[in-house]
Amino acid sequence: MQIGVHDSIAFSFDPERIAAFLESHGHQCTVLEAGDSVAGEGYDCVVTFGHEDALLDAPWVHCIRAGVDAFPFDRYAETETALTHSPGIHATTIGETVLGMVLSFARRLHRYRDRQHANNWEIEPYDATFTVQDETVCVVGLGTLGEGVALRADALGMTVRGVRREPKPVPGVDELFRPDELHDAVAGARFVVLCVPLTEDTEAMIDADVFAAMDEDAYLINVARGGVVAEDALLDALDGDEIAGAGLDAHAEEPLPADSPLWGYDDVIITPHVGALSNTYHESVGKLVVANAERRENGESLSDRVV
Ligand code: NDP
Ligand code: 7N6
């Protein structure tokens, strides 16, 4: 197959990595720059991080992300361009990123790393330090990400609450809540971890009322999308000591603007939307594309299709 590899992938890793992987599986690849024409170039598929209108000239666009909330579905439907995404590959990376943040907050590692830059031996307040064993985590959204977090939290001896619409049990989750029980689910949890897609229902679902329901010593961790959290309410909650801190991989605006107040808090850990990345991401996505290319060649319908 002839596959275009869009250089928006460079937000996450070198597009040549996935091009080389696809070529090693017998496909011909061209790296496309933003603004390059796709019409009439003979591409069977374009693999991309983001959307631009030129992609609508391809018969099939594959997004390397699980969340495709930034794609204009109606335009894909209008132009009959198939859009596929990359679910099911983020459990381990995100699970480990979240548990890294959880352990850092508990063991205060982020504060010692901050002080290391100033050769500063200062010790954290005695009461600021805790162990996560026997603490409670509330995981909001229990798909690939949420289960990856739940299993790892369970392995560390945490009590795991989960929130989802369908009351279907999930490995590692001790207690299930419905979205309309969110306030009860977060109350008493030391960590609240967001793993939901950004939809009409989840936009700004973490608002001032949810922060008020959270414990004062609780931490919010967002590995979903920035839009799931009402950012003003988060800032108020941090300023008003309504919560203890936050671990933020997803942000309302990305890159997080240099003048965002969020950079300034001792107990906010900011990562630049890299929670899912690892040195094998190109292979994980590449395998999804290779499998779908085979389906397309065999005249079968594509998997993981969103439009
Ligand atoms: P999945 O589709 O596997 O899981 C989504 C989960 O959210 C399901 O358990 C679903 O359960 C639940 N859910 C949906 N709507 C609601 C709601 N209104 N209230 C409560 N729960 C809800 O998605 P993934 O786990 O793969 O990814 C989730 C999102 O995380 C992606 O859409 C993406 O935006 C983001 N993401 C971020 C990454 C990063 O790098 N930081 C990496 C990968 C994904 P039910 O249907 O029962 O409600
Ligand atoms: C890194 C993953 C997703 O939705 O936001 C993540 O999958 C990006 C490319």
Side-chain angles (χ1 to χ4, degrees), residues 12 49 64-67 90 225 273 276-277 281:
S12 299
F49 177 97
I64 68 161
R65 313 177 78 179
H90 305 106
R225 285 289 184 267
H273 208 135
L277 285 185
Y281 195 91

Side-chain angles (χ1 to χ4, degrees), residues 4 54 58 106 112 168 191 235 241 278 305:
Y112 293 115
K168 232 168 65 183
F191 297 94
L235 289 166
D241 293 327
S278 75
R305 190 166 170 174

Side-chain angles (χ1 to χ4, degrees), residues 294-307:
E294 199 176 317
R295 286 187 195 98
R296 191 173 160 85
E297 277 165 344
N298 294 336
E300 297 164 21
S301 51
L302 297 170
S303 278
D304 306 326
R305 190 166 170 174
V306 284
V307 181

Side-chain angles (χ1 to χ4, degrees), residues 65-69 85-90 93-94 140-147 163-168 170 178-179 194-199 201-202 205 222-225 249-250 273-277 281:
R65 313 177 78 179
V68 278
D69 45 275
H85 71 141
S86 303
I89 60 173
H90 305 106
T93 46
I94 289 288
V140 185
L142 291 170
T144 302
L145 267 55
E147 186 176 328
V163 182
R164 66 177 304 175
R165 291 164 305 178
E166 245 191 275
K168 232 168 65 183
V170 175
R178 292 187 313 268
L194 307 181
C195 297
V196 281
L198 178 61
T199 65
D201 288 345
T202 63
M205 81 189 285
N222 186 6
V223 283
R225 285 289 184 267
D249 188 51
H273 208 135
V274 288
L277 285 185
Y281 195 91

Side-chain angles (χ1 to χ4, degrees), residues 8 92 109 145 147 157 172 177 257 293:
S8 58
T92 306
L109 303 181
L145 267 55
E147 186 176 328
F177 293 75

